[in-house]
């Protein structure tokens, strides 16, 4: 969870993630984690800037051959 997603928007200051959306996201992540556990896997969930969190995870894991990501589209 990137803390910047819970700040105001860059143009008008409206919340990017309100309480209802946050609840939906948390419930979705919880459900995904439980589904993965039932299949013998897991889900790593972290809070922080992705550029920091991913770097730390790669360092922890030691042997990472690829990282995939997407970038948020920003409207002008």
């Amino acid at each position: 969870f990137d803390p910047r997603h819970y700040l105001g928007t860059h143009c008008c200051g409206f919340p990017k993630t309100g309480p209802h959306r946050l609840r939906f996201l948390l419930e979705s992540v919880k459900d995904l984690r439980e589904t993965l556990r039932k299949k013998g896997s897991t889900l790593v969930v972290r809070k922080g800037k992705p550029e920091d969190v991913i770097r730390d995870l790669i360092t922890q894991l030691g042997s990472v051959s690829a990282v995939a990501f997407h970038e948020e589209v920003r409207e002008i």
Side-chain angles (χ1 to χ4, degrees):
F1 289 96
D2 186 342
R4 296 172 288 197
H5 287 201
Y6 307 96
L7 303 174
T9 57
H10 60 277
C11 67
C12 301
F14 294 112
K16 290 175 85 173
T17 304
H20 299 292
R21 183 175 182 191
L22 179 59
R23 180 185 302 157
F24 171 77
L25 289 172
L26 292 172
E27 289 173 357
S28 297
V29 168
K30 181 180 177 183
D31 183 65
L32 177 58
R33 177 179 267 167
E34 288 304 315
T35 299
L36 289 170
R37 279 190 182 153
K38 289 177 186 175
K39 296 181 181 288
S41 190
T42 190
L43 178 67
V44 176
V45 179
R46 297 287 185 268
K47 175 184 164 192
K49 293 180 180 179
E51 57 269 27
D52 298 331
V53 171
I54 292 169
R55 182 191 62 233
D56 294 344
L57 282 172
I58 291 170
T59 301
Q60 267 183 330
L61 296 171
S63 77
V64 175
S65 59
V67 176
F69 67 94
H70 77 281
E71 185 175 356
E72 179 180 4
V73 176
R74 292 184 179 213
E75 296 182 30
I76 298 175

